[in-house]
Amino acid sequence: QVQLVESGGGLVQAGGSLRLSCAVSTRTFMNYPFNNYAMGWFRQAPGAEREFVAAINWNGGITLYADFVKGRFTISRDNTEKEIYLQMNSLKPEDTAVYYCARDRTLKPGAARSQSEYDIWGQGTQVTVSS
């Protein structure tokens, strides 16, 4: 079964930066058609619903962002390494959450904001921003 593994979370002071990574688990690395699918990042803060953060289409030509991260976060992908990234700058305490990456369930030219469009999820990585 395909799995996604997030890394790069941690504790950072407000105004700082983190770079999250999401990779396909090694068990299916060679056969997983990573390059064909859009990917997304979502987050869930304590006591809150999981929400959309950013998404990127199959070749990186289309990116979507939630309004609250525009200008601060950048999503990218490396199809050779089969990884996606979320560069997070100017972090705020309200960015504290568990961050998840996910794979779009269908092949499409663009990317999606809705969680219902994603079928494979990672376990998440904790990001904590102190004030």
Side-chain angles (χ1 to χ4, degrees):
Q1 183 176 356
V2 174
Q3 290 184 332
L4 300 174
V5 180
E6 302 95 337
S7 61
L11 174 64
V12 64
Q13 288 188 330
S17 299
L18 284 173
R19 186 190 193 216
L20 305 184
S21 299
C22 171
V24 177
S25 66
T26 54
R27 288 188 299 170
T28 56
F29 181 91
M30 295 303 295
N31 297 321
Y32 181 57
F34 178 89
N35 298 1
N36 299 346
Y37 291 88
M39 301 288 291
W41 285 100
F42 295 80
R43 71 184 188 185
Q44 187 168 22
E49 298 288 324
R50 189 162 58 186
E51 62 183 354
F52 170 78
V53 176
I56 188 166
N57 80 324
W58 69 278
N59 67 355
I62 297 173
T63 55
L64 303 175
Y65 294 97
D67 287 343
F68 54 77
V69 302
K70 280 183 180 177
R72 298 190 299 125
F73 292 9
T74 302
I75 187 171
S76 61
R77 68 189 297 159
D78 184 334
N79 283 347
T80 300
E81 296 296 324
K82 298 190 177 183
E83 292 191 352
I84 66 166
Y85 310 100
L86 187 67
Q87 178 66 45
M88 306 187 295
N89 298 328
S90 302
L91 283 162
K92 305 175 182 179
E94 51 264 44
D95 294 318
T96 295
V98 177
Y99 283 72
Y100 300 90
C101 67
R103 188 200 77 165
D104 196 309
R105 68 173 66 247
T106 61
L107 297 173
K108 55 168 65 74
R113 298 176 182 269
S114 173
Q115 295 183 51
S116 64
E117 296 290 319
Y118 295 83
D119 62 345
I120 298 175
W121 295 78
Q123 294 299 306
T125 185
Q126 176 70 46
V127 171
T128 303
V129 184
S130 63
S131 57

